[in-house]
Amino acid sequence: MDRLVKPDVKEVELSFTRGENCSATFTLANLMHTMSVAVSLTSSNPSVFSFSQSFSVIPPLSSSSYTVSCKSADHPPLSTPPDKISVRSAMLPIGKAHSDDLRRLFARPGRHVFKDASLLVSFVGPDVVGFLISHHNRVPELSFLLNKAISGCTKSQLTALMKPAISSGKLGLVSALIDAGVVVNVKDSPGKSMMSLAVGTGKIEIVKRLIDSGCEIDFSVDLVLHTAAAMNRVDLIEILRGKFSGLPVNSVDSDGRTPIHIAAARGHVEVIRFCVSIGGDPEAADRNRWTPLHCAAAEGHLEAVDYLLGCSNVKYAVNTEGRTAFALASENGHSDLFDSLRLGDALHRTARAGDVRGLRSCVAAGAKVNGKDQNGWTALHRAAFKGRVECVKALLENGAEADAVDDAGYTPLRCAVEAGQEEVARLLLANGANAKPRFDCLRQTDFVCVLWEIRNLRK
């Protein structure tokens, strides 16, 4: 015989509630047919656990119940490995004994004492799960303790714990709750989904886990693209757009700002570039008429300013206070942006005035030769229209696009034709300008016929 009594459980679960005493009951059955058995209960942590009866006598073929209690505490007294309850027994021929006699019986080592069982003690309930989530970096063997704690929770209790689990950034915590049956499509008080919170953590694996679990979002409330843009996370934007195909890249927040506004204010060029590539509007204006260029210029983000100047035509747009992007950069002391935001103006002025030296200085200082004004005109349009032959030559030498098209569809050649600038027209043709515009929509002048003759001679 290797034991005298048998417990009805292998593990004792205590449902822990912060600030309250907790207890659990288990039963021991005497396996002896004709003899009473003395029982001793001890724990591996006597400062925490106490028993309704540490010593007792169980008559033959009878059972007795025992209660283990845990004192009130602010947090569950978890330990790894888990605490244990040791059950020892000894035969008691006389059938009864005083507690002092039983204490002396078990204090004396020998073969008369049987080690019948070792019961694990586990803590369960939402307060335990919440504690493990908030202390996930300091609790060893977290997964073992968490799975035990979850078993004592309802689905609604676990669902309420999803927010701190997601905020922890730990995929294991989130997955454990989802596997336990958490409802992923619940909203917080502002009406946002769990996906918003997950995107805010920046943990792409948690975002994917929620997507795989069927988490849905409300496009009008869950501004997940704005959140991803603020974190410079193109990868998150790609995943979100891939799953939620209707997610609008031009959605606006309470200030009327799009994800591109958010990225521009932080200088996140890759996000701006990606959003533009999938249909984002780089010229969108918020409630105060700020464009993304305003946002980037106000914060001094040179690379973002340069990119936005290249893909939008809002250089001269004013906000509700009448300020351009240049004015905001100037007010905030971002002098390194002045060239990008104003050199183009100087280049256009020199081209219009025929100031070749000034034009070359602008180009040398970094002015964009093919930069456009609010009407889409380049410096070459202006020089061609005014007949500034030397400026046209200088611009072409420095990479000016001979067939650049303005907002109305006009090329520099067409401007020269309309203005009667024959020498400029010949120069542009000599440098590869396309001579096939629809001249029937132009003024019918003798010069048009001359131009056609020039074109025909080149064929």
Side-chain angles (χ1 to χ4, degrees):
M1 176 180 292
D2 58 0
R3 64 179 178 175
L4 304 179
V5 297
K6 180 181 180 180
D8 63 340
V9 294
K10 293 183 179 180
E11 183 174 348
V12 177
E13 293 186 351
L14 288 97
S15 182
F16 177 86
T17 301
R18 187 182 299 108
E20 297 182 9
N21 293 331
C22 58
S23 61
T25 300
F26 60 95
T27 299
L28 296 176
N30 184 352
L31 301 179
M32 302 297 290
H33 289 259
T34 59
M35 190 175 296
S36 295
V37 172
V39 172
S40 169
L41 300 178
T42 58
S43 75
S44 57
N45 194 348
S47 64
V48 172
F49 302 101
S50 61
F51 300 97
S52 57
Q53 43 185 338
S54 299
F55 300 98
S56 64
V57 176
I58 306 177
L61 293 180
S62 297
S63 298
S64 182
S65 295
Y66 301 85
T67 299
V68 56
S69 299
C70 175
K71 299 176 183 178
S72 172
D74 290 331
H75 59 79
L78 303 171
S79 64
T80 52
D83 287 317
K84 295 180 180 180
I85 297 172
S86 296
V87 179
R88 296 185 298 160
S89 63
M91 289 184 286
L92 194 65
I94 59 175
K96 59 182 180 179
H98 293 292
S99 57
D100 290 340
D101 296 329
L102 295 176
R103 185 175 290 105
R104 285 191 292 270
L105 173 66
F106 287 104
R108 187 176 74 251
R111 298 180 63 183
H112 65 287
V113 176
F114 293 79
K115 296 180 180 179
D116 285 293
S118 181
L119 307 178
L120 293 178
V121 178
S122 61
F123 290 91
V124 300
D127 280 359
V128 184
V129 177
F131 175 82
L132 290 171
I133 290 173
S134 62
H135 294 77
H136 60 85
N137 288 324
R138 291 186 288 166
V139 180
E141 298 184 25
L142 176 63
S143 60
F144 172 79
L145 296 172
L146 183 65
N147 289 332
K148 292 292 184 182
I150 284 175
S151 66
C153 301
T154 65
K155 287 185 179 180
S156 61
Q157 288 172 332
L158 292 177
T159 299
L161 291 165
M162 271 295 282
K163 185 173 182 178
I166 293 173
S167 297
S168 75
K170 294 294 183 180
L171 176 63
L173 295 174
V174 175
S175 292
L177 296 183
I178 291 176
D179 292 341
V182 159
V183 180
V184 296
N185 282 313
V186 294
K187 309 288 185 180
D188 63 12
S189 53
K192 294 183 178 180
S193 71
M194 292 184 184
M195 187 63 70
S196 283
L197 186 60
V199 172
T201 68
K203 300 296 184 179
I204 200 165
E205 62 274 12
I206 294 180
V207 171
K208 289 180 177 179
R209 185 70 170 89
L210 287 177
I211 288 175
D212 292 341
S213 301
C215 185
E216 297 294 338
I217 63 176
D218 182 341
F219 296 165
S220 64
V221 178
D222 294 301
L223 300 178
V224 289
L225 295 186
H226 290 72
T227 303
M231 297 188 295
N232 199 22
R233 295 294 299 274
V234 173
D235 55 343
L236 284 175
I237 296 175
E238 287 182 306
I239 287 174
L240 292 166
R241 286 275 298 181
K243 168 58 182 176
F244 307 106
S245 58
L247 188 59
V249 69
N250 290 312
S251 59
V252 297
D253 61 15
S254 59
D255 295 318
R257 295 196 167 189
T258 68
I260 296 181
H261 281 92
I262 303 301
R266 291 163 174 78
H268 298 329
V269 180
E270 291 305 314
V271 171
I272 300 172
R273 182 178 290 110
F274 182 77
C275 287
V276 170
S277 73
I278 59 175
D281 183 4
E283 300 183 353
D286 69 10
R287 294 187 185 280
N288 293 314
R289 304 301 300 169
W290 280 51
T291 66
L293 183 62
H294 281 99
C295 297
E299 298 299 327
H301 298 304
L302 177 59
E303 189 178 356
V305 165
D306 285 343
Y307 178 78
L308 288 165
L309 285 171
C311 69
S312 65
N313 193 27
V314 291
K315 184 176 181 179
Y316 306 99
V318 294
N319 60 18
T320 52
E321 296 178 339
R323 288 173 170 80
T324 62
F326 175 82
L328 293 173
S330 179
E331 289 174 7
N332 293 318
H334 302 308
S335 58
D336 57 329
L337 303 185
F338 292 175
D339 287 349
S340 295
L341 293 171
R342 272 291 175 88
L343 265 181
D345 297 345
L347 180 67
H348 281 241
R349 285 196 301 271
T350 57
R352 182 176 63 246
D355 180 3
V356 178
R357 180 178 296 179
L359 184 148
R360 292 187 184 277
S361 295
C362 288
V363 173
K368 292 178 173 55
V369 174
N370 291 305
K372 296 183 177 183
D373 66 9
Q374 67 270 31
N375 298 311
W377 270 32
T378 65
L380 188 58
H381 281 88
R382 293 195 176 278
F385 184 76
K386 288 293 186 178
R388 310 303 187 187
V389 176
E390 294 304 315
C391 285
V392 170
K393 288 180 181 178
L395 289 166
L396 291 171
E397 289 170 1
N398 284 279
E401 184 180 344
D403 291 320
V405 179
D406 71 3
D407 294 348
Y410 277 61
T411 64
L413 178 60
R414 184 168 174 176
C415 290
V417 170
E418 285 233 329
Q421 308 294 351
E422 180 177 353
E423 187 177 355
V424 171
R426 291 179 184 276
L427 178 58
L428 290 170
L429 285 168
N431 281 272
N434 184 5
K436 295 182 179 180
R438 293 175 58 87
F439 287 108
D440 55 315
C441 68
L442 301 176
R443 292 201 316 267
Q444 299 302 311
T445 67
D446 292 338
F447 179 62
V448 172
C449 298
V450 173
L451 183 60
W452 276 106
E453 290 176 6
I454 295 172
R455 188 202 67 163
N456 292 333
L457 288 174
R458 295 183 62 203
K459 288 185 176 180

